[in-house]
Amino acid sequence: MSVPYQKHILFHCVSNWGHNKPIVPFAAQIIQSRPNVIITVFTTAIIYPKLLGEVGKLATGIQEDAKLRFHVIDIAGPVKNPLVPLLQFEPTFKALHNGEPIKCFSSGKEYTDLPKVTVTVIDPFAGYAFEAIRGITESSTPILTWYTSSAGNILRSFKKPPTGKLDVHTLRYGTERELMPRMGDFLDPIVGAESSGRGIPTMYDYEFFPQELPLLASIFLESGRLYMARGEGTLVVSASSYDGAAMEAVKEWYQSLGKVIYPVGPLSLPDRSSGQSDKANHPVMKFLDKMHSKYGDKSVVYMSFGTFFWPKNPEKVWAVIEELIASETPLIWAHPAPFCQIPEDKLKLFQDNSEIALEVQWAPQEAVLSHPATGWFISHGGWNSIQEAMICRVPQILWPQTADQPQNAATLTLSHKAGFELIEVRTGENGTRKPYRFKDSEPAQLPTFTVEAVRREIREVLQKLKGEEGLLVRKNFERLSREVLTSWDENPRGEARESMEMFLKKDGAPQLQSVSITPPSPSPEFVFAMVSQFQNLRTLTLNDGLLTKTAQSATFRSLKELDLRRIRDASTVLTLLTLCRECKLELFSLQFSRYNGSVWEKIFGFLSSQWSRTLTQVDVDYIAEVDREADILDCVQPLCSLQNIQIFKMRFFHSGSSFCITDALISNVCNAWPNLTSLSMYSFGYGQCPTVASLKTIYERCPKLKHVSIPFDITHLPPIKHSDAFLPSTSSHKLECITIFVENKAVLCTLLAHGSTYLSHHLGITFPYLKDVFLETFFTMPEPWPKLMEMIKGLGNLEGGAPKTLERRHICDDQPQVTNGGISVNGQLQAAHQMVNKYDNATSQETSNNDQSPAALPDNVTQHEEPSMTIESWAATFSPAPTHFPPIQYHVNFFFEDLGLSSDLVGKLRRIGATHTHILSDRPFTLFRDFELSEKDAIAVITMVQRYFGVDVA
């Protein structure tokens, strides 16, 4: 089923790579979250290939989606000066707004069917774009600003009023000849004043210019002050865990203006690009491997000032490099800046010390930082470099140049104690003045800013790296990195993910379509009566609210999405559902709310009775008070009458022993919703987990499923054998991504390191188009499992994207035929008696078959020391039963449904068996208590169970 595109987001930044780079990871998060959103980026020829390179780092499944919904368009060709307005923006946006074709200069592709833009996200330094959008759309299209640095820098740089020296016409249409001579007009006067603010380290104003540089982009400062807070809000690529009080101060400022700040940092991508083999052969990676084998973990210093910055006088750069080499510290120096010129004697220095030092113009920075040999990063303190360092947990030695970098360095080193800053390396009139941190120092303690002082400083820093101070800085940086990275957590939802959801729920129409209510607020009765009057309201979010009966006069008729969080009062939820009964709800979300079982039954019953045909997405945290022992199947059953669910997410929090995700639950869900495209279920309980039988269920019953997140029993997987009748002879299932929940971090780490041969066989054969496998615990983010993907690809099942046929044999010629996942035995009792004879016959046949050599088995599968007739192969002679030694409830389904027992008896037995997961224990196991069977039937069943389980049955 195709999904109509309901929102078109346009991004545009000036031609500066640091401003554009975070767009791709943010777009990837949106694409994964919303199937109805497309994203377009207007850019120039110099940025175009770099953005496509970032797209190449996305996981394969997201890349495929991005090809359809993420468009990078070069609207201008080569642009020499990013400080000058991009005159091509206005006519291109006008054509897009009017539904006319637009052309990409770099690819030559013509776009003819892009929908009208519903919201724009614009660099505040691109004032020409602001003015063009407002003029063309008559201010009907919302504009949000896109700021790729910290909230503290917004406070320091852009809260001040503009100088007023730049008129709008010049900002919109000014030429290079008009603008460049005026760059000095927009600089703040440097008077030696203290600069500070909430959450911002105090510095002198001249410290923001620590290096003598050939150019100061002061027009950006003026443009930022004009437009930073003039949009509907700002997407800031930072996090409160980094900015602290500064983020709170920015939020308060924006709130006073009636605006919204959306913290969406960090935004950076691990490198999964198709050129991984090329990177592995890159001289930098070979050098890192060599240093790692010789010097160990965290031994290499990586040095780079980014793609643009380079000191006007590089004498101090040479001094630092010479001292690093003299100390025999392994060094990689990358210098992609166009201004960098290296004398011959300095190149010879690297050639003479190639065993410990490497010089390259460009290095794959994310790959370098993620290598275990990399220990420290000498950086200019650019915001993207800081984010990449955080993701890879590599602390920095900071050498800031200009712009936001001096404040970034001060925040990391002074506020968080999570880095070192080089002071003696400062140059120029402003850089060589007394730093604020030396305000009360004696003259002998002041920096002298000489080359010799630089040499002394770097030697001292190298000593600190090896001592307690270095250990403390690393520990602080790793802690800060962990806190920042939780911003994109899903459960509980982190700050960045929450901000993205808030942003996406604002559809950008002039009429209000989305509202979020968070106490303290005005009278709830007034609020609901008010918002119910908006005829175009589509999304309602309520956080921790209390609704009284007098609010029932409000009625919602056009609502599509109802998102409830932390609603402690159950009557409020039920009242809200009643108020929405005339709507055609498509999405229902209820998170972080605790009720007893009867309340959950009412909520689920209301959903099923009111919106059985319209609901397509359900997202629920089932937090149940322990008022009774409930079966997880009973809890979910009321939802199964919903007819069109495509996305189902449910998390279970309950102390009951039967609250585990099981094969039976997966079976019920897949039977109920064959059109599922995304399924996510997990709980705190790991007493039972889905087995390979659930893979079969997904394969047979949900052909459209693309993403699955469930617990899975990896520790008891059987090997693949040709006798496994369960396996499909050929598979065309298009499952692309599976996330497996495991019990704890220790299990996760073990699996990441070693993989799982048997699991790779099951997944590779059943889902030949699988592109990503992730591991996750209840308290961690999903982590890619490259080891397993390597094993899967090694099977050869993914060659050319087409599945291979699995050749297999049957143990018995008289194996029952399988139809629709069931057994054609018509429930006759004689099938039970025949099973015993089949067991004996199959045992002798399997013994002879096992004489084949191990080479006849699939690759990477070793024979186990087990009886010649395995439980798995015996089960295969009767039905496509689970090939894993499963929990007792599976044996209930296998045996007793074949015996023709009533569904009530089977259900009771399943609930009894669910509490007995260790069926191979030495103690006797009472199975048929409270059931009435004839003596003949009981003897037949007991005989089968004894032989199948190897346990005593009373």
Side-chain angles (χ1 to χ4, degrees):
M1 182 181 70
S2 60
V3 180
Y5 296 132
Q6 298 178 2
K7 179 177 286 188
H8 183 188
I9 305 172
L10 174 68
F11 282 83
H12 176 66
C13 296
V14 296
S15 293
N16 179 292
W17 178 229
H19 297 212
N20 286 270
K21 187 174 185 287
I23 291 175
V24 176
F26 187 58
Q29 293 285 358
I30 294 174
I31 287 171
Q32 292 178 88
S33 176
R34 294 291 192 278
N36 61 344
V37 174
I38 63 172
I39 300 168
T40 298
V41 183
F42 280 178
T43 189
T44 62
I46 192 172
I47 302 298
Y48 176 83
K50 295 182 179 181
L51 285 173
L52 295 186
E54 289 296 294
V55 173
K57 296 178 183 178
L58 298 174
T60 308
I62 307 174
Q63 277 192 52
E64 294 301 316
D65 213 354
K67 290 178 183 178
L68 301 174
R69 299 197 281 130
F70 183 66
H71 309 293
V72 181
I73 304 177
D74 170 15
I75 65 171
V79 172
K80 296 181 179 179
N81 193 340
L83 300 175
V84 177
L86 191 65
L87 300 181
Q88 295 90 339
F89 179 89
E90 184 170 339
T92 308
F93 179 79
K94 185 175 182 179
L96 178 61
H97 182 72
N98 293 333
E100 300 168 2
I102 57 177
K103 183 178 180 180
C104 176
F105 279 74
S106 289
S107 68
K109 181 178 179 179
E110 189 172 80
Y111 293 82
T112 59
D113 55 354
L114 292 176
K116 185 174 291 187
V117 172
T118 53
V119 62
T120 57
V121 182
I122 305 297
D123 191 331
F125 304 149
Y128 55 85
F130 271 80
E131 298 299 334
I133 293 167
R134 285 180 172 159
I136 292 168
T137 69
E138 298 180 348
S139 299
S140 63
T141 300
I143 304 175
L144 287 91
T145 51
W146 173 254
Y147 188 62
T148 54
S149 190
S150 67
N153 278 293
I154 293 179
L155 277 184
R156 185 190 69 81
S157 301
F158 304 113
K159 193 174 181 182
K160 298 176 183 177
T163 64
K165 298 177 182 179
L166 184 63
D167 62 277
V168 172
H169 185 272
T170 303
L171 189 147
R172 191 170 179 179
Y173 303 111
T175 64
E176 187 172 15
R177 178 177 296 180
E178 292 173 325
L179 284 169
M180 295 311 293
R182 299 186 57 192
M183 286 295 159
D185 295 347
F186 313 112
L187 282 174
D188 291 331
I190 298 174
V191 296
E194 294 181 6
S195 176
S196 63
R198 283 172 58 188
I200 301 174
T202 302
M203 302 166 65
Y204 291 124
D205 55 11
Y206 51 74
E207 290 189 79
F208 294 98
F209 307 95
Q211 298 293 328
E212 186 179 10
L213 295 173
L215 180 66
L216 294 173
S218 57
I219 191 174
F220 283 174
L221 188 65
E222 184 76 358
S223 180
R225 290 175 179 175
L226 279 167
Y227 295 102
M228 180 64 76
R230 285 182 63 182
E232 276 71 8
T234 294
L235 293 157
V236 57
V237 186
S238 187
S240 294
S241 51
Y242 174 87
D243 274 304
M247 183 69 77
E248 292 302 315
V250 172
K251 288 180 178 179
E252 291 173 10
W253 174 39
Y254 268 62
Q255 188 175 10
S256 70
L257 300 174
K259 315 288 184 181
V260 183
I261 193 84
Y262 300 97
V264 293
L267 288 173
S268 188
L269 292 170
D271 196 343
R272 299 191 185 96
S273 59
S274 58
Q276 285 298 310
S277 59
D278 295 335
K279 289 186 175 67
N281 293 322
H282 193 283
V284 170
M285 305 312 293
K286 290 184 176 179
F287 179 83
L288 281 168
D289 291 340
K290 181 180 177 182
M291 294 300 101
H292 189 245
S293 63
K294 187 173 182 180
Y295 296 100
D297 290 347
K298 301 179 175 60
S299 57
V300 177
V301 171
Y302 170 60
M303 179 174 174
S304 176
F305 297 144
T307 57
F308 181 79
F309 294 102
W310 180 249
K312 186 176 181 180
N313 185 348
E315 284 184 348
K316 296 183 177 181
V317 175
W318 312 136
V320 168
I321 289 174
E322 289 166 2
E323 290 298 326
L324 287 167
I325 293 176
S327 69
E328 298 186 351
T329 300
L331 170 66
I332 296 173
W333 175 44
H335 49 85
F339 303 109
C340 178
Q341 300 294 326
I342 309 174
E344 286 298 324
D345 63 322
K346 305 307 176 187
L347 289 174
K348 190 174 185 303
L349 178 65
F350 281 91
Q351 294 166 5
D352 294 342
N353 295 276
S354 59
E355 288 300 309
I356 201 166
L358 178 67
E359 166 269 328
V360 291
Q361 183 175 0
W362 176 85
Q365 184 157 292
E366 290 96 334
V368 171
L369 293 174
S370 62
H371 196 284
T374 306
W376 294 88
F377 180 17
I378 299 179
S379 161
H380 61 306
W383 192 239
N384 285 318
S385 292
I386 288 176
Q387 291 186 99
E388 291 163 9
M390 284 184 173
I391 288 173
C392 298
R393 310 291 204 277
V394 178
Q396 293 173 287
I397 302 167
L398 296 143
W399 189 329
Q401 309 287 312
T402 187
D404 60 340
Q405 300 157 23
Q407 184 168 316
N408 294 341
T411 301
L412 275 174
T413 58
L414 301 179
S415 299
H416 294 292
K417 310 294 184 187
F420 293 100
E421 181 180 357
L422 299 177
I423 302 298
E424 298 284 6
V425 296
R426 296 183 182 185
T427 60
E429 178 184 354
N430 292 313
T432 55
R433 298 172 69 177
K434 181 197 296 186
Y436 181 83
R437 67 193 74 181
F438 290 91
K439 181 181 66 168
D440 300 322
S441 299
E442 297 295 328
Q445 298 174 320
L446 296 178
T448 60
F449 307 109
T450 65
V451 173
E452 184 54 39
V454 171
R455 293 181 182 277
R456 183 174 59 252
E457 183 179 35
I458 192 64
R459 288 196 297 265
E460 292 173 353
V461 169
L462 288 174
Q463 287 298 317
K464 291 177 181 178
L465 301 187
K466 300 173 184 177
E468 291 185 5
E469 188 172 354
L471 291 174
L472 178 61
V473 166
R474 184 181 295 279
K475 181 179 179 181
N476 289 341
F477 186 79
E478 291 176 348
R479 173 193 51 76
L480 176 63
S481 300
R482 287 194 299 271
E483 292 172 356
V484 169
L485 292 174
T486 60
S487 294
W488 282 104
D489 283 359
E490 290 194 16
N491 295 293
R493 189 179 284 175
E495 179 185 56
R497 192 165 298 281
E498 185 73 26
S499 293
M500 182 187 71
E501 290 295 327
M502 291 174 59
F503 162 67
L504 290 174
K505 289 177 181 178
K506 295 183 179 297
D507 282 344
Q511 300 86 8
L512 181 67
Q513 296 192 11
S514 176
V515 64
S516 177
I517 303 172
T518 303
S521 65
S523 162
E525 295 81 6
F526 169 77
V527 171
F528 276 85
M530 177 185 67
V531 299
S532 67
Q533 297 176 17
F534 292 100
Q535 296 182 357
N536 293 305
L537 190 66
R538 296 290 186 270
T539 302
L540 176 62
T541 302
L542 180 64
N543 294 276
D544 194 17
L546 180 65
L547 196 63
T548 61
K549 292 182 179 180
T550 56
Q552 294 183 11
S553 59
T555 303
F556 301 98
R557 292 183 173 84
S558 59
L559 207 63
K560 299 291 186 183
E561 300 181 3
L562 183 59
D563 187 355
L564 308 178
R565 303 172 192 173
R566 298 182 178 88
I567 309 297
R568 289 170 287 185
D569 179 57
S571 63
T572 294
V573 176
L574 296 172
T575 300
L576 271 172
L577 294 176
T578 304
L579 298 181
C580 298
R581 60 186 177 275
E582 296 183 21
C583 304
K584 295 182 178 179
L585 274 188
E586 297 174 1
L587 180 151
F588 176 75
S589 177
L590 181 56
Q591 300 178 29
F592 314 117
S593 302
R594 177 188 295 271
Y595 313 116
N596 61 41
S598 60
V599 171
W600 282 111
E601 289 177 8
K602 291 179 181 178
I603 293 172
F604 291 166
F606 202 106
L607 295 177
S608 299
S609 63
Q610 293 293 322
W611 301 292
S612 63
R613 295 180 181 274
T614 62
L615 270 175
T616 61
Q617 182 171 346
V618 172
D619 187 349
V620 173
D621 290 337
Y622 190 102
I623 309 175
E625 297 175 354
V626 187
D627 59 333
R628 61 191 178 95
E629 181 66 17
D631 189 286
I632 198 167
L633 291 167
D634 295 336
C635 300
V636 177
Q637 189 60 41
L639 293 174
C640 290
S641 60
L642 299 173
Q643 299 177 21
N644 296 305
I645 295 298
Q646 299 175 28
I647 299 175
F648 184 69
K649 299 179 181 180
M650 200 162 183
R651 296 153 296 276
F652 296 90
F653 305 82
H654 191 282
S655 62
S657 59
S658 59
F659 261 65
C660 300
I661 309 300
T662 62
D663 286 313
L665 179 60
I666 301 295
S667 177
N668 281 18
V669 167
C670 292
N671 280 337
W673 304 312
N675 292 321
L676 277 174
T677 60
S678 179
L679 173 64
S680 177
M681 292 192 296
Y682 56 92
S683 73
F684 269 125
Y686 285 88
Q688 299 180 60
C689 286
T691 68
V692 290
S694 285
L695 301 184
K696 174 197 172 185
T697 300
I698 292 169
Y699 161 76
E700 289 183 340
R701 303 174 191 173
C702 293
K704 299 179 181 180
L705 202 57
K706 293 294 185 69
H707 303 279
V708 174
S709 299
I710 57 173
F712 194 79
D713 187 351
I714 299 176
T715 58
H716 300 94
L717 279 172
I720 293 285
K721 293 190 177 181
H722 292 296
S723 59
D724 286 335
F726 144 69
L727 294 168
S729 60
T730 182
S731 174
S732 59
H733 199 287
K734 296 301 193 299
L735 186 75
E736 295 177 356
C737 177
I738 182 167
T739 299
I740 297 173
F741 289 90
V742 295
E743 188 168 357
N744 53 50
K745 185 72 174 180
V747 175
L748 183 146
C749 293
T750 301
L751 291 171
L752 284 176
H754 300 289
S756 172
T757 302
Y758 294 164
L759 181 60
S760 70
H761 294 168
H762 285 285
L763 292 180
I765 292 171
T766 312
F767 304 114
Y769 295 90
L770 192 65
K771 298 171 181 177
D772 290 290
V773 181
F774 294 87
L775 287 173
E776 185 175 352
T777 72
F778 203 89
F779 300 103
T780 63
M781 296 177 66
E783 294 196 37
W785 198 357
K787 185 77 172 179
L788 189 77
M789 288 306 300
E790 290 174 7
M791 291 178 171
I792 291 175
K793 292 177 181 177
L795 295 174
N797 292 313
L798 301 180
E799 295 177 1
K804 271 191 171 183
T805 300
L806 175 68
E807 296 181 358
R808 56 186 174 87
R809 58 178 173 77
H810 296 291
I811 295 179
C812 299
D813 294 333
D814 57 347
Q815 179 176 357
Q817 297 298 310
V818 179
T819 57
N820 297 324
I823 309 170
S824 58
V825 294
N826 300 319
Q828 296 180 6
L829 287 175
Q830 63 181 20
H833 303 288
Q834 292 172 354
M835 287 181 185
V836 178
N837 296 327
K838 282 188 176 182
Y839 170 83
D840 296 328
N841 296 333
T843 300
S844 58
Q845 184 172 348
E846 183 70 7
T847 301
S848 61
N849 288 335
N850 278 347
D851 291 335
Q852 61 182 339
S853 65
L857 296 174
D859 294 339
N860 300 326
V861 178
T862 58
Q863 288 182 313
H864 277 200
E865 294 181 1
E866 55 187 47
S868 58
M869 176 59 191
T870 64
I871 293 173
E872 292 79 22
S873 57
W874 179 64
T877 65
F878 308 120
S879 75
T883 57
H884 143 268
F885 200 104
I888 188 67
Q889 64 178 51
Y890 260 100
H891 311 310
V892 173
N893 288 335
F894 177 69
F895 290 114
F896 291 92
E897 289 177 0
D898 288 347
L899 285 173
L901 298 182
S902 69
S903 57
D904 288 341
L905 288 179
V906 172
K908 289 179 181 179
L909 190 56
R910 180 189 297 120
R911 285 191 287 273
I912 292 173
T915 63
H916 298 276
T917 58
H918 304 292
I919 56 177
L920 288 177
S921 62
D922 294 333
R923 60 182 175 79
F925 177 63
T926 303
L927 186 63
F928 302 120
R929 180 184 55 198
D930 300 330
F931 292 97
E932 294 183 3
L933 294 172
S934 68
E935 182 179 358
K936 178 181 177 182
D937 295 339
I939 291 173
V941 172
I942 290 172
T943 303
M944 287 187 297
V945 173
Q946 284 176 328
R947 289 185 173 179
Y948 192 7
F949 295 137
V951 297
D952 294 329
V953 182

